[in-house]
Amino acid sequence: MIETRLLRQFIAVAEELHFHKAAQRLHMAQPPLSQAINRLEEKLGFGLLLRNKRGVRLTAAGAAFLDTAYRTLAELEQGIEYARNVSAGVSGKLTITAISIAYYDSLLNRLRRFRETYPNVQLTIREMPSASQAKALLAGEADIGFMRRLPLPVGTLEARLLLDEQIVMALPASHPMARFEAVDLREFADEDFVFTPQALGGGYHAQLVALCESAGFYPKVVQEAAQIHTLLGLVACGFGVALVPASFVRSTPRERVQFCPIRPIDDQPPPGLGLYMKWNAQNASPALANFIAMFETQQ
């Protein structure tokens, strides 16, 4: 391993082609500089300089090695600067996992503002169900997740509630209650339901089942779909009805699917569904800290 100090000393001599001037430039005596160049040549196994009474000049190998010395020091400086920026959280990488977030304008706007504020932080966004997100965060395969509530606390995951949105009933446009201003969930006890699989998001699934149970029935699930837009496609085709977050209402053609608010049951508050930001508390990434801080200060 060649010390960077030796490289800097060689560059000074190569540029000055004069040991005394190079020593002055380096603020050192000439004899130690000559000894340093000799040590460098011994480490490399070839001569860098030709020395005679008329002066100093580079050998062919010395001229080639000078380019290497320049590149090595430049790359080192760039690496130090990059590491410094990573330490400050203004450079680096963040892997984000999320449920389908295309319908959440406020969340997308926050992501855009983070990218504008920290343009040198590379963001990778991977769409996946909530349960899979939790596993990725715990395994260190992701830094931040946007997901539904999980059925139980998971390891070292921290959570912040970003928004709590209304749950609405999605009905085929031909359904007898499709034009109602609001519906009573108890009237759907005998209906066929389309649900997302429990394995992909146990908390989300449990919330919807609990809502039905509060209306006095357990939902008759006839079909499952991993993605909400697929689920709504099945509703449009008449497979059944579905309970979905209200954020999907604006993006779905109303001629195929109608959405109805659900009336409170027994004076209980209207049913809601949370969207959470979660991360592993053991993740010490400075970029992650900046990401969390920006999300917590933005409304």
Side-chain angles (χ1 to χ4, degrees):
M1 181 66 68
I2 296 175
E3 301 173 22
T4 57
R5 176 170 54 86
L6 288 177
L7 294 180
R8 297 182 192 282
Q9 291 168 337
F10 166 65
I11 289 173
V13 175
E15 291 178 345
E16 299 291 345
L17 292 177
H18 195 287
F19 272 90
H20 182 67
K21 291 181 180 179
Q24 287 182 322
R25 172 174 154 181
L26 295 167
H27 305 289
M28 64 185 297
Q30 182 175 330
L33 177 59
S34 297
Q35 295 168 7
I37 298 301
N38 289 336
R39 288 198 308 274
L40 178 58
E41 289 176 319
E42 290 175 4
K43 284 177 176 289
L44 294 173
F46 53 81
L48 297 169
L49 300 165
L50 293 174
R51 309 163 181 83
N52 54 43
K53 293 182 180 180
R54 289 180 295 179
V56 178
R57 60 191 176 92
L58 290 167
T59 65
F65 186 70
L66 180 59
D67 289 337
T68 298
Y70 283 139
R71 288 197 307 271
T72 299
L73 292 180
E75 290 174 2
L76 178 61
E77 289 300 325
Q78 292 171 2
I80 292 172
E81 181 64 19
Y82 177 72
R84 183 180 293 114
N85 289 336
V86 169
S87 177
V90 298
S91 289
K93 299 178 180 180
L94 279 179
T95 298
I96 300 170
T97 59
I99 59 173
S100 181
I101 59 175
Y103 308 96
Y104 297 99
D105 292 340
S106 63
L107 176 55
L108 293 173
N109 286 334
R110 294 192 207 187
L111 289 173
R112 175 182 55 79
R113 285 196 291 269
F114 180 85
R115 190 180 180 200
E116 291 172 348
T117 305
Y118 299 99
N120 294 321
V121 176
Q122 178 184 334
L123 298 181
T124 299
I125 302 177
R126 297 162 52 195
E127 191 171 293
M128 61 177 63
S130 298
S132 300
Q133 290 189 56
K135 292 178 181 178
L137 292 173
L138 291 173
E141 298 169 355
D143 298 293
I144 199 82
F146 296 101
M147 65 184 77
R148 299 300 181 188
R149 189 184 72 183
L150 298 172
L152 296 171
V154 180
T156 54
L157 296 190
E158 297 281 346
R160 295 289 185 275
L161 177 63
L162 294 181
L163 60 93
D164 192 21
E165 57 184 319
Q166 185 182 9
I167 298 174
V168 298
M169 181 67 76
L171 304 166
S174 59
H175 195 280
M177 288 184 271
R179 303 297 173 182
F180 287 16
E181 292 186 3
V183 295
D184 188 329
L185 186 56
R186 287 171 290 198
E187 296 179 6
F188 293 85
D190 297 325
E191 295 269 0
D192 292 339
F193 275 81
V194 182
F195 260 63
T196 54
Q198 182 177 7
L200 298 183
Y204 173 60
H205 187 277
Q207 277 186 276
L208 299 184
V209 169
L211 179 60
C212 293
E213 289 180 332
S214 70
F217 69 94
Y218 190 90
K220 184 174 63 173
V221 179
V222 298
Q223 187 65 47
E224 293 184 330
Q227 301 294 334
I228 295 290
H229 58 267
T230 302
L231 182 148
L232 290 174
L234 293 174
V235 171
C237 292
F239 277 75
V241 301
L243 296 165
V244 299
S247 54
F248 289 83
V249 172
R250 296 195 311 272
S251 60
T252 305
R254 300 302 291 270
E255 67 271 12
R256 301 183 63 205
V257 179
Q258 290 294 319
F259 298 91
C260 296
I262 299 172
R263 296 191 186 95
I265 299 172
D266 298 330
D267 297 325
Q268 295 297 314
L273 195 61
L275 178 66
Y276 295 83
M277 178 174 70
K278 296 193 177 186
W279 66 94
N280 192 335
Q282 296 180 344
N283 188 334
S285 164
L288 173 61
N290 287 344
F291 188 94
I292 295 168
M294 174 168 285
F295 263 69
E296 290 185 335
T297 56
Q298 293 177 356
Q299 300 297 326

